[in-house]
Every structure is written in structure tokens, then in C-alpha cells.
């Protein structure tokens, strides 16, 4: 059976491909051995990211997962408990690595749209005593992937940070999409980052680089994280070719995240026309999650039906479907995909379309 030509791929903002201009800066990047800290492009990227986040230092790492895991590892010791939201990326999508690699126990707490309640966090802190894990850190995620790209309000992050500090706990911010929160709210990246001891950010999501993340914190923290990066096999050599893509991504693709957010609104507008369909979280950035259970369908069925019509999206949970807008899908493509999704979810066969 012939496969449909792909109309638009809304599975994730990680599916973007490096543009010709990005590839050019990669090809001509100045490089050196980064394990000797001699790669000028990596050094430049790290200085740039540290300055953008208002931290003393930053470290280039291959992935967001490694960024998060190095931060958790460096902030805690084996046997510690880390308080996280029940939908946190570190809990669901990092292959159990906090336990496997750092001996950490994650303590999930509920909270609407990724937001932890400071009172609940305080109640979850373990008392001293030989029976108890030591509560070592609190982890926040902004924007919140599993909660539909929602933005943690800065005041709430500050409240959790104040509480954590009062109890001697570290705070890690998974800022894989902190860029989206910053563009959507206008709140400076530094203000968000100031709530945390360590921050990780990704260049390979909405910013469109093919690979790469960074973590940031105090100089002493980053030195220790560098040693842990070596242990995790994440120390790389002439990696300026990748750092060049990340610099390009930050310089050219940050402000345009607003377009992705606008496209997500267009998509949500169409999905709202489907009677009974629930948009699970407020649509604030580039992610839209809908619950198709009330339509009597599973997420897998809807994803398959949309794929037949050339719209790719993902299963977020048994009855939840996720759409993500990004750099490689323009307003026209999103509008076309949104019209198809609306019809398919209403149970109407879309008319054949030219692609
Ligand atoms: C919130 C969040 N944190 C961390 C990551 C992990 O990034 P990577 O896929 O680069 O390991 C992701 C990936 O989607 C994410 O959404």
C-alpha cells in the first residue's frame, strides 16, 4: 500500500533538521580538543550560555538527559531523595537514570500543570533520622513537557526556591524549553535561572540544532559536573562543530519561537471545534495535548488515523495525543494539518489534498 506523503510532522520539536546556514557555520567552525578545554567554539558557547542564564559557568553536554542527570548527580549524593513533579521528564523519560547512575530516589508530587505547591514540597521533606532518605534536592521543569508545554509562574518557582534554601536543599531546573517560557512571557532567562542552583537547557528542541544541551551553575558546581561528565562518557573532543550549531541556534532561532507558539494556538483553535475533545492543559507555548478518550478512541488509533492523512503526532498516554510545533513547520502547514486533525477527530474523512 502506498505511504501517504508526509504533510507535516508534529511529533516533537526535536525532529528539525539543521538548515543550510546552520550547516555552513558547523563546517567552518574553529575547533580544538574540548577535553583540554581548548575548543574555542565550545568555550564561546559556554560563556554565552552562562551569561544568558546569569550563572558563573556552563558546560556543553550531548543531550538534555545528560544535562539533567549530571546536575542531579552533582547536587546530591547516593541514597538521596529528589522531589519532582509527578509528570517530570526526569521521572518518566530518562530511563530510570537517576536511580541507575546516581543512586537517587525520585519523590513525585502532584500539582496542576507541572506546578508544585510549596506547602506540599515542605511536607515531603524527610525529617532527620536513620530510617529516612535524605531529601537532597527539588527539581522543577519549565516549560513542562508532559503538562503540555505549560509555563511555571516565576513567583511559584521563587517560592519553592526560598523554601528549598531554608531547608538546605538544592534546586535543579530542567530548562530544556526554558527558551519557550522566556519568549512567551518576556521574563528574563536570568530571573528563571536565579531560582535554581543548576539549570539545563537544550539547543536541539525548538532552537533547531541537531544535538546538544548545556548545564549552568556556579564555577565550583560546573567543575564538579565536568568531572562527572567524563565519568558518564560525555566528554567530547573537537565538538566545536556542534557548539557552532548551538550558537547559531541561539542567535537565529530564539525570537522566532513566538511563531511556534502562535502556530500552536491555531492548532488548538481547530481542535477546540471537535465536540467532546479535551485540551488537557492550557496551551501556552508550542505543545498541545488532547484527550481523545471521550471520543471513544485511543491515542494510538488517532495517531494512526492522522498518519494516514499525512499528519504525524505522538502518543502521550493511552488516551492522550501530543502535537508539537517547531521551526520546520510554517503557519500554512500547521493550518493545513490542523484542518485535517479537526476533521479526523470529528470522524469525517478529509478531502484528498495536494501535498
Ligand atoms: C523537559 C525535557 N527535559 C529533558 C529532555 C531530554 O532531552 P534529550 O532528548 O536531549 O536527552 C527533554 C526531551 O524532550 C525534555 O522535554
Amino acid at each position: 500500500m502506498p505511504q501517504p506523503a508526509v504533510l507535516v510532522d508534529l511529533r516533537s520539536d526535536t525532529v528539525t533538521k539543521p538548515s543550510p546556514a546552520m550547516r555552513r557555520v558547523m563546517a567552518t567552525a574553529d575547533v580544538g580538543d574540548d577535553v583540554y578545554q581548548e575548543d574555542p567554539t565550545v568555550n564561546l558557547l559556554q560563556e554565552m550560555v552562562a551569561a544568558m542564564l546569569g550563572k558563573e559557568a556552563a558546560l556543553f553536554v550531548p543531550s538534555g538527559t545528560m544535562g539533567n542527570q549530571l546536575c542531579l548527580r552533582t547536587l546530591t549524593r547516593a541514597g538521596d531523595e529528589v522531589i519532582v513533579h509527578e509528570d517530570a521528564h526526569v521521572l518518566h523519560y530518562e530511563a530510570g537514570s537517576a536511580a541507575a547512575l546516581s543512586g537517587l530516589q525520585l519523590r513525585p508530587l502532584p500539582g496542576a500543570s507541572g506546578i508544585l505547591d510549596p506547602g506540599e514540597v515542605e511536607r515531603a521533606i524527610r525529617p532527620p533520622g536513620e530510617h529516612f532518605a535524605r531529601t537532597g534536592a527539588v527539581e522543577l521543569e519549565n516549560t513542562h513537557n508532559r503538562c503540555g508545554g505549560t509555563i511555571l509562574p516565576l513567583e511559584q518557582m521563587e517560592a519553592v526556591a526560598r523554601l528549598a534554601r531554608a531547608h538546605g536543599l538544592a534546586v535543579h531546573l530542567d530548562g530544556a524549553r526554558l527558551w519557550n517560557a522566556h519568549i512567551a512571557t518576556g521574563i528574563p532567562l536570568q530571573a528563571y535561572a536565579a531560582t535554581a542552583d543548576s539549570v539545563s537547557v537544550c539547543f536541539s528542541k525548538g532552537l533547531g540544532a541537531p544535538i546538544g544541551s548545556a548545564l549552568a551553575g556556579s564555577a565550583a558546581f560546573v567543575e564538579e559536573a565536568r568531572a562527572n561528565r567524563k565519568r558518564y562518557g560525555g566528554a567530547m573532543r573537537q565538538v566545536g562543530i556542534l557548539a557552532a550549531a548551538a550558537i547559531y541556534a541561539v542567535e537565529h532561532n530564539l525570537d522566532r519561537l513566538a511563531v511556534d507558539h502562535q502556530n500552536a494556538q491555531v492548532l488548538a483553535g481547530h481542535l477546540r471545534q471537535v465536540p467532546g475533545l479535551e485540551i488537557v492543559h492550557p496551551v501556552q507555548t508550542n505543545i498541545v495535548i488532547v484527550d481523545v478518550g471521550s471520543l471513544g478512541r485511543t491515542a494510538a488509533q488517532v495517531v494512526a488515523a492522522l498518519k494516514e492523512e499525512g499528519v504525524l503526532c505522538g502518543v502521550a498516554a493511552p488516551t492522550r495525543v501530543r502535537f508539537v510545533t517547531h521551526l520546520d513547520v510554517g503557519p500554512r502547514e500547521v493550518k493545513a494539518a490542523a484542518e485535517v486533525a479537526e476533521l479526523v477527530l470529528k470522524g469525517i474523512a478529509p478531502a484528498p489534498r495536494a501535498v
Side-chain angles (χ1 to χ4, degrees), residues 193-272:
T195 64
D197 301 281
S198 63
V199 186
S200 59
V201 290
C202 291
F203 310 111
S204 57
K205 311 278 175 328
L207 295 187
I211 182 173
S213 294
L215 59 84
S218 71
F221 170 84
V222 170
E223 199 182 312
E224 182 65 23
R226 182 186 297 280
N228 284 328
R229 184 184 68 173
K230 186 73 181 156
R231 290 186 187 105
Y232 281 30
M236 301 178 284
R237 302 293 178 172
Q238 286 72 20
V239 74
I241 51 172
L242 299 178
I247 293 171
Y248 182 93
V250 172
E251 286 179 344
H252 294 84
N253 297 338
L254 180 55
D255 289 342
R256 67 148 306 286
L257 290 175
V259 176
D260 296 345
H261 299 171
Q262 184 50 39
N263 286 340
Q265 291 300 335
V266 169
L267 180 61
H270 277 274
L271 296 174
R272 278 191 199 101

Side-chain angles (χ1 to χ4, degrees), residues 12-14 62-66 68 89-90 93-94 139 141-146 174-177 200 202 204-205 212-213 287 322:
S12 175
D13 48 10
T14 59
S63 69
T65 299
M66 191 181 287
N68 281 338
H89 193 278
V90 289
Y93 302 128
E94 298 189 11
E139 197 255 6
E141 184 179 317
N142 200 2
T143 64
H144 207 287
N145 181 345
R146 231 170 113 89
D174 176 352
R177 295 185 184 77
S200 59
C202 291
S204 57
K205 311 278 175 328
S213 294
I287 302 179
R322 187 181 83 153

Side-chain angles (χ1 to χ4, degrees), residues 266-306:
V266 169
L267 180 61
H270 277 274
L271 296 174
R272 278 191 199 101
Q273 304 309 311
V274 180
L277 185 73
E278 185 198 356
I279 297 190
V280 185
H281 297 281
V283 178
Q284 297 174 338
T285 57
N286 67 328
I287 302 179
V288 183
I289 297 179
V290 292
D291 197 307
V292 296
S294 60
L295 307 180
R297 294 158 91 171
T298 65
Q301 287 168 339
V302 168
V303 168
L306 283 173

